[in-house]
Amino acid sequence: MLGTAGGWNITLVYGGAHFGKSLFWYSSELLFAFFLTEISGLQPAEMGVVLVAGFLVSAGIDIAVGTALQRWLGNARLASRVQVLGAVASAAALAAVFLVAFAPPAWRFGLALVCGLAFRLAFATYDIPQNALMSLATSDRDTRARVASTRIWFSGAATLVVAGAIGPMVTQASRAAIPAFLLALSLGFAVIAVSGAALLAHRLSGAHLAAPSAGPAPPARWQPSAQVWLLIAVSVITTLFTPTFAKLEPYFAAYSLQSAWWGGAIIIAMAAGIVAGQPLWARLALSRPSSVVMASAALVQIVSLAAFWILGLAAPAALALCAFGFGVGNGGVGTIQWHAFSDIVARQAPRHTGLAFGAFVATGKLGFAAGAAMIATALQMASFRDSESKLLITFMAAVPAAGALLLLVVAWGLARADFKARQGAATT
C-alpha cells in the first residue's frame, strides 16, 4: 500500500511519478503564454483563445472522468496503467506545442490551438488516474496523509525546475534558440514522466492491495453543503486571480527588469516560498480551523504583493524576497483548500468522491480559462513592452491581491458555516 510507515520506497515512487506529471503542468502554467506570444509570434488575443479553449475542454473532460471514475478506474492497478498511457500522450502533446514555433507563421495559430487542445485532453487522462490512486492504493487517513505530503514536496520541486527555465527564455541575445531549448526541455521532461509512471505501474502490479469494500449504495443525488460551495469558490478564486503573478513574470523580466538573471530569481523565489512554507501550513492545518489558516495565508499574500508593487523596479533583490512571501502565502491557501475539501468530501460525500473532485478540479479549470482571457485582454490593450510602463507590475500585484481579499471573505463564510454546523450538531 502507498503511504504505510514501513513502505516509503513505493510511496517515493508515487512521488516521483507525481513529479513527472507536475513538470508537464507547470510547463503549461509558467511557459505557454510567453512562448506563444514572444517566441511563436501570436497576438495576445490569439494566445488567449489557445489557453481558454484548452482549459474549457479540460474542464469538461474532468467532469466526465470524475463522474465515470468508479466505472473505469475501479482499482489501483488499472489506474496506474491508464496514467502511463496519459503520460505518453501528454509528452507527445507537449512536444507538439513547442514545435509550433518551427511552423510557417501563417500556420502557427491553428497549430497552437490544435496542439494545445490535445495537451489538455491528454493531461486529463494522466491527472485523474494518478489522483485516484490516493484513494485506491491507500488504506486509511494516515497513509493518505503521507501520500499527500509526498505529493506536495515533489510538486514544489517540479515548480523550481520549470521556474529555472524562465531565465533562458527571456535572454534577448538567445531568443532565436529558445524553441529548440524548450523542445529539448520537453523531451527531458517526457523521459522523467513516462519512466516515473511506468515504474509506479510496475510496483503496483506486484503490490498487495486491499480490495475496496462495496459499502452502502450511494444516494441518488448529492447535495453539496455550504462548506463545499465555499471551497469551490476558493478553487475559482485561486485559479482566476493567483496565477497572474507567475504568468506575467516572464514578460516583467524581459521588458521591465530587462534581466534574465533577476527574472529567474524572482520566479524561483516564489516557487521556493511554496515549498518552504509547507511545514508551517501543514502544522497549522492540524491545529487550527481551516478558516483561520486560510485568512492567515491570504494576509501573507496581500502584504507581500503590496510590498512588491511599492518597491517597483528599485530593488530586484527585495522583489525576490516579496515573491518568496507571496509563494509562502500561496502555498498555504493551496494546502488548506485541498485539506479542507478532502475532509468534507470524506465526511459528507464518501460515495460521490469522483464527482466531487471532478467538479472541484473542473471549476478550477474554468477559473484558469477566465484568467487567461483576462491576461490576454490586458496585454492586447496596452503597450506592455515599454520598459517605463507600470502595467506589468501593477497587474502582477493587484490581480492576485484582489483574489486574496476575496479569500478573506470566503474564510469568514467558512467560519460562519462551521459555526452553524456545530450548532446544528449540538441541537440534534
Side-chain angles (χ1 to χ4, degrees):
M1 303 297 293
L2 295 179
T4 57
W8 275 106
N9 286 340
I10 192 170
T11 303
L12 291 175
V13 170
Y14 177 86
H18 185 69
F19 174 75
K21 187 185 76 174
S22 298
L23 289 174
F24 286 166
W25 174 252
Y26 289 113
S27 293
S28 69
E29 274 300 286
L30 299 182
L31 304 180
F32 273 14
F34 188 86
F35 167 78
L36 291 174
T37 58
E38 307 310 294
I39 310 303
S40 298
L42 270 62
Q43 293 298 313
E46 294 175 323
M47 174 270 289
V49 170
V50 171
L51 297 185
V52 170
F55 283 128
L56 292 177
V57 170
S58 183
I61 292 296
D62 288 337
I63 290 289
V65 172
T67 302
L69 190 64
Q70 308 226 355
R71 293 199 295 270
W72 62 282
L73 292 179
N75 63 77
R77 293 184 181 89
L78 178 59
S80 67
R81 293 167 188 166
V82 173
Q83 61 126 21
V84 176
L85 298 177
V88 173
S90 297
L94 182 64
V97 170
F98 291 136
L99 281 171
V100 167
F102 294 95
W107 294 9
R108 289 178 186 174
F109 172 63
L111 286 174
L113 184 60
V114 171
C115 294
L117 289 173
F119 175 77
R120 301 300 178 185
L121 288 167
F123 191 81
T125 66
Y126 190 6
D127 186 36
I128 299 294
Q130 194 180 98
N131 291 339
L133 288 173
M134 291 190 67
S135 297
L136 298 173
T138 55
S139 58
D140 53 33
R141 181 179 180 181
D142 289 346
T143 57
R144 284 186 282 274
R146 295 188 187 99
V147 173
S149 177
T150 303
R151 281 171 57 100
I152 291 171
W153 194 93
F154 278 96
S155 180
T159 310
L160 288 169
V161 170
V162 177
I166 296 295
M169 278 190 64
V170 301
T171 302
Q172 299 288 339
S174 63
R175 184 68 61 88
I178 290 178
F181 165 75
L182 290 177
L183 182 59
L185 192 72
S186 70
L187 294 177
F189 289 174
V191 172
I192 295 171
V194 175
S195 299
L199 179 59
L200 178 61
H202 173 72
R203 290 297 303 272
L204 288 177
S205 68
H208 297 287
L209 300 172
S213 58
R221 296 183 60 187
W222 174 43
Q223 297 291 336
S225 65
Q227 293 101 319
V228 169
W229 288 116
L230 286 166
L231 289 168
I232 285 178
V234 172
S235 178
V236 174
I237 291 168
T238 55
T239 53
L240 171 58
F241 295 95
T242 308
T244 301
F245 186 94
K247 286 185 175 179
L248 289 181
E249 202 278 340
Y251 297 95
F252 179 67
Y255 300 113
S256 297
L257 288 177
Q258 297 183 340
S259 169
W261 195 94
W262 279 115
I266 288 173
I267 198 69
I268 288 173
M270 184 204 73
I274 295 174
V275 176
Q278 287 304 322
L280 169 65
W281 299 120
R283 184 182 295 273
L284 290 176
L286 295 175
S287 60
R288 297 289 187 273
S290 297
S291 57
V292 173
V293 182
M294 183 171 294
S296 301
L299 287 171
V300 171
Q301 286 182 314
I302 292 169
V303 171
S304 301
L305 290 166
F308 189 90
W309 183 77
I310 291 170
L311 288 169
L313 302 176
L319 292 180
L321 182 61
C322 295
F324 179 86
F326 171 67
V328 171
N330 188 9
V333 172
T335 296
I336 202 62
Q337 78 177 73
W338 284 100
H339 174 270
F341 191 79
S342 299
D343 183 60
I344 287 174
V345 170
R347 289 187 286 108
Q348 298 181 4
R351 302 298 293 175
H352 292 283
T353 302
L355 174 60
F357 279 95
F360 191 63
V361 174
T363 53
K365 298 291 176 59
L366 295 178
F368 279 123
M374 177 176 62
I375 290 171
T377 301
L379 294 179
Q380 187 73 30
M381 293 172 59
S383 178
F384 61 90
R385 294 180 178 89
D386 181 358
S387 62
E388 301 299 320
S389 173
K390 294 184 178 180
L391 170 73
L392 290 173
I393 195 168
T394 300
F395 247 73
M396 286 177 66
V399 174
L405 288 171
L406 290 175
L407 289 175
L408 291 177
V409 177
V410 173
W412 175 77
L414 281 173
R416 284 180 57 85
D418 291 342
F419 177 73
K420 290 181 179 179
R422 288 194 299 270
Q423 276 191 323
T427 57
T428 56

